[in-house]
């Protein structure tokens, strides 16, 4: 039997998104199906049943009349949701341990870095200054996680094991052992008031765009043992008001770690490159591994063709 082809549409522009590397992995796991690395000279669009994509050009997916499932090769689907011509077939996002653990590492690293005052200590070293500062125990600090989903829940669990107090905020109410959970707009302020280190792992949707703003920063725990609260954003750049972040570094925020930005790569003249209270990483918090994710896609296709249900299907009305 000829199986429907899988089309790969990858426009990442960074080294992890080399289409050739992804094609080689998909060839290994899709033994009995054609894997088309697009653009490809000769193929019939009607043969394509599945598309595995990262930032496809808007309109590109509408060219396949027999498409059955779109697999986004990352966790966030905001780029796809912006495509008004996106075919109305199931859209599956990534939720795999490999990615979840990478994000957990990033969050733990940056929470510890601010908690243990590493930016101050490194600056002291550069200036040849021996100036110890009292280090609070983890139990003195409350980490607030915006988005207790796949990524946020794992990070919360490990932070709690280290000894931090952890609170979480989500759209729907959650019950997570050891974590005080808040939900919805009406509990947002109570969540913020508890928080010394704010970690954002929200998806970018119409409801969350610009949610990291000066008003929100002003509601964080003003009596934080750290001196001033800290922001860590690894969700999406569109969640943050960047002018507000820079203005808030006057003392409303004590420091920030940002992995995502409204413009990526960050322009050469952006103050984020050089500001002493900013730790910048190049959208690198949790790389998507071609091996783990091609296996995840191949398993989902096999289950789907055997009549089973797809997992981690995006709710298009919610936008994530
Ligand atoms: P999930 O869908 O599993 O979790 C999203 C969480 O956000 C859920 O808890 C959800 O609430 C909550 N949420 C969504 N909208 C709202 C809202 N309006 N108000 C309050 N809470 C809300 O996503 P993941 O954890 O897998 O991924 C989160 C995001 O991380 C991705 O969308 C992506 O943008 C980003 N990401 C960044 C990477 C990087 O390298 N920087 C790598 C991978 C992902 P509820 O549980 O009630 O639905
Ligand atoms: C993702 C990402 O959404 O890498 O997976 O940003």
């Amino acid at each position: 039997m000829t199986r429907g082809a899988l089309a790969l549409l990858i426009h990442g522009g960074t080294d992890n998104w080399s289409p050739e590397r992804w094609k080689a992995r998909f060839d290994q796991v899709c033994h009995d199906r054609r894997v088309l690395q697009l653009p490809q000279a000769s193929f019939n669009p009607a043969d394509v049943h599945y598309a595995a994509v990262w930032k496809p050009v808007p309109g590109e997916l509408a060219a396949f009349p027999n498409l059955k499932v779109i697999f986004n090769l990352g966790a966030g689907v905001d780029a796809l949701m912006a495509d008004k011509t996106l075919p109305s077939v199931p859209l599956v996002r990534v939720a795999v341990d490999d990615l979840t653990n990478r994000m957990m590492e990033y969050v733990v690293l940056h929470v510890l870095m601010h908690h243990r005052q590493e930016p101050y200590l490194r600056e002291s070293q550069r200036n040849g200054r021996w100036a110890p500062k009292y280090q609070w125990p983890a139990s003195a600090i409350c980490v607030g996680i915006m988005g207790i989903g796949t990524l946020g829940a794992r990070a919360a669990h490990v932070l709690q094991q280290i000894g931090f107090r952890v609170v979480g905020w989500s759209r729907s109410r959650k019950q997570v052992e050891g974590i005080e959970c808040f939900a919805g707009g009406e509990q947002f302020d109570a969540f913020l008031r508890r928080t010394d280190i704010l970690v954002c792992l929200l998806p970018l949707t119409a409801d969350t765009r610009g949610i990291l703003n000066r008003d929100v920063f002003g509601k964080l725990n003003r009596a934080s043992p750290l001196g001033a609260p800290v922001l860590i954003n690894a969700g999406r750049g569109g969640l943050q008001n960047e002018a507000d972040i820079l203005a808030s570094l006057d003392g409303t925020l004590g420091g920030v770690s940002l992995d995502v930005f409204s413009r990526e790569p960050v322009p050469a003249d952006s103050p984020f490159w050089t500001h002493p209270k900013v730790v910048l990483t190049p959208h690198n918090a949790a790389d998507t591994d071609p091996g783990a994710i091609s296996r995840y896609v191949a398993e989902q296709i096999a289950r789907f063709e055997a009549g089973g249900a797809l997992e981690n299907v995006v709710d298009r009305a919610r936008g994530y």
Side-chain angles (χ1 to χ4, degrees):
M1 184 175 96
T2 318
R3 295 195 177 269
L6 177 122
L8 275 176
L9 294 100
I10 295 175
H11 302 288
T14 60
D15 120 49
N16 187 46
W17 289 107
S18 145
E20 289 71 27
R21 189 138 56 95
W22 283 84
K23 162 94 164 81
R25 295 297 194 187
F26 270 102
D27 279 335
Q28 280 171 10
V29 292
C30 295
H31 320 281
D32 51 359
R33 119 177 31 254
R34 221 175 140 203
V35 177
L36 304 162
Q37 182 190 324
L38 300 188
Q40 176 159 317
S42 67
F43 79 102
N44 179 356
D47 292 342
V48 172
H49 288 187
Y50 306 101
V53 307
W54 184 245
K55 296 189 179 163
V57 176
E60 227 176 350
L61 286 160
F64 308 121
N66 297 319
L67 196 61
K68 295 184 193 307
V69 186
I70 302 166
F71 294 95
N72 185 50
L73 294 174
V77 293
D78 44 294
L80 283 174
M81 297 308 293
D83 179 357
K84 297 298 165 226
T85 67
L86 197 69
S88 38
V89 299
L91 166 61
V92 172
R93 64 184 205 92
V94 165
V96 297
D97 281 349
D98 180 82
L99 182 79
T100 305
N101 287 331
R102 289 167 193 253
M103 183 58 89
M104 176 273 291
E105 288 176 7
Y106 171 90
V107 172
V108 170
L109 172 71
H110 286 260
V111 166
L112 283 172
M113 187 166 61
H114 291 286
H115 163 60
R116 297 293 310 209
Q117 307 179 84
E118 275 296 312
Y120 162 82
L121 292 171
R122 297 286 68 80
E123 198 202 339
S124 298
Q125 181 184 350
R126 274 193 304 278
N127 293 325
R129 202 175 57 211
W130 185 270
K133 248 194 185 183
Y134 182 72
Q135 297 282 7
W136 296 87
S139 59
I141 304 297
C142 181
V143 182
I145 302 193
M146 295 171 83
I148 290 285
T150 308
L151 304 179
R154 176 73 55 87
H157 178 65
V158 175
L159 289 168
Q160 192 215 357
Q161 286 188 326
I162 293 172
F164 290 100
R165 285 182 286 120
V166 181
V167 294
W169 182 69
S170 52
R171 207 177 47 86
S172 59
R173 194 160 304 283
K174 297 268 176 302
Q175 283 214 318
V176 188
E177 205 188 325
I179 294 166
E180 195 181 356
C181 291
F182 297 81
E186 63 288 358
Q187 295 192 334
F188 191 35
D189 285 4
F191 160 81
L192 294 170
R193 278 196 298 273
R194 298 266 205 297
T195 297
D196 300 309
I197 299 182
L198 182 67
V199 175
C200 183
L201 291 173
L202 288 172
L204 178 60
T205 67
D207 290 337
T208 61
R209 183 174 290 280
I211 195 167
L212 300 173
N213 56 52
R214 197 172 173 103
D215 180 44
V216 160
F217 306 146
K219 292 177 179 162
L220 296 168
N221 182 16
R222 301 308 325 153
S224 171
L226 298 173
V230 164
L231 167 70
I232 299 171
N233 182 20
R236 281 290 184 266
L239 297 163
Q240 69 203 12
N241 180 323
E242 297 185 345
D244 279 7
I245 291 179
L246 288 165
S248 299
L249 286 168
D250 60 1
T252 305
L253 291 174
V256 295
S257 284
L258 303 175
D259 184 58
V260 286
F261 297 87
S262 56
R263 269 184 69 193
E264 297 177 5
V266 171
D269 60 355
S270 165
F272 284 128
W273 286 111
T274 48
H275 197 295
K277 293 186 180 167
V278 174
V279 180
L280 176 156
T281 49
H283 198 145
N284 208 191
D287 281 337
T288 41
D289 175 63
I293 288 162
S294 58
R295 279 195 301 280
Y296 165 78
V297 171
E299 281 163 20
Q300 289 248 31
I301 293 177
R303 201 176 318 122
F304 177 73
E305 291 190 340
L310 295 164
E311 289 173 355
N312 306 310
V313 177
V314 170
D315 178 335
R316 295 212 190 183
R318 289 188 327 198
Y320 68 99

